[in-house]
Amino acid sequence: MWVLPWWSSGGPLALILQGPEVKGPGVGLLGFSKGGDLCLSMASFLKGITATVVINACVANTIAPLRYKDMIIPELSYDLKKHTITESGFLNFVDIWDIPLEKTNHQSLIPLEKAQGPFLFIVSMDDHNWKSEVYARIASERLQAHGKDRPQTIYYPGSGHCIDPPYFPLSRASVHAVLGQPVFHGGEPKAHSKAQADAWQQIQTFFHKHLNGKKSVRPGKL
């Protein structure tokens, strides 16, 4: 079970804010894959989160139940029998996850409408781990249904699951930390490389805008 840290004088966010390099008064979160839905949960429940970026993440809690105070958010249900195997022998499990909007999965949905700050969703269109496009759309519809602003969402055709910083090589497959098996991530080299370079710039611009009040940043160079 994942345990979400409480916001308190001795909590981890308070500790971060005490760092000399942190301007405050709020902090930004950046999460990828499972780390993304953890960031969504933190933004929804903890105070002091000013801006949140998620890269190819689910809008529901996944893999294990999450506990916060007296609340337990169950994990999104799945069926491992729905997986497929690529020609190279890699596991493709994008279709194993049930739809978060189904009645049986409502309790796994993260209450994004409770968040104080804005969101940026980075979405890969060739993601073979999560249905990232679907999850970003659900998040947008949920926020707007509760009177919140539509989140910024950026779509990258041809990019795979692992959006790393610019100039990192494309990781089309790797051994999954939980399953212990080689998993297919997707992505085409040229499109994925361009996505990583642009996403890095977009993330910095988003954080500078909502944390520092700046409208733009200088583009990075190799």
Side-chain angles (χ1 to χ4, degrees), residues 85-158:
I85 303 296
T86 69
E87 294 181 358
S88 300
F90 299 130
L91 180 67
N92 186 336
F93 63 88
V94 69
D95 291 323
I96 73 170
W97 306 101
D98 291 336
I99 301 174
L101 294 179
E102 292 179 346
K103 187 176 181 179
T104 55
N105 285 309
H106 276 182
Q107 291 186 336
S108 70
L109 282 167
I110 299 167
L112 304 176
E113 65 278 3
K114 294 184 179 181
Q116 297 174 321
F119 294 98
L120 167 60
F121 288 85
I122 301 294
V123 177
S124 292
M125 302 298 285
D126 193 36
D127 185 354
H128 284 263
N129 288 182
W130 303 106
K131 296 180 180 179
S132 301
E133 181 182 7
V134 174
Y135 301 148
R137 184 176 69 249
I138 292 174
S140 180
E141 292 173 352
R142 183 182 180 99
L143 287 168
Q144 292 179 84
H146 285 83
K148 296 297 185 76
D149 292 336
R150 181 170 59 184
Q152 181 181 355
T153 306
I154 304 175
Y155 302 93
Y156 292 107

Side-chain angles (χ1 to χ4, degrees), residues 139-185:
S140 180
E141 292 173 352
R142 183 182 180 99
L143 287 168
Q144 292 179 84
H146 285 83
K148 296 297 185 76
D149 292 336
R150 181 170 59 184
Q152 181 181 355
T153 306
I154 304 175
Y155 302 93
Y156 292 107
S159 60
H161 182 64
C162 302
I163 297 290
D164 295 309
Y167 317 118
F168 273 61
L170 167 63
S171 175
R172 299 199 76 210
S174 66
V175 176
H176 196 275
V178 176
L179 299 176
Q181 299 182 47
V183 171
F184 182 61
H185 301 308

Side-chain angles (χ1 to χ4, degrees), residues 6 13 42 54 81 86 91 99 111 117 132 174 176 195 197 205 210:
W6 290 25
L13 288 181
M42 291 176 69
V54 293
K81 295 180 181 179
T86 69
L91 180 67
I99 301 174
S132 301
S174 66
H176 196 275
T205 299
H210 296 289

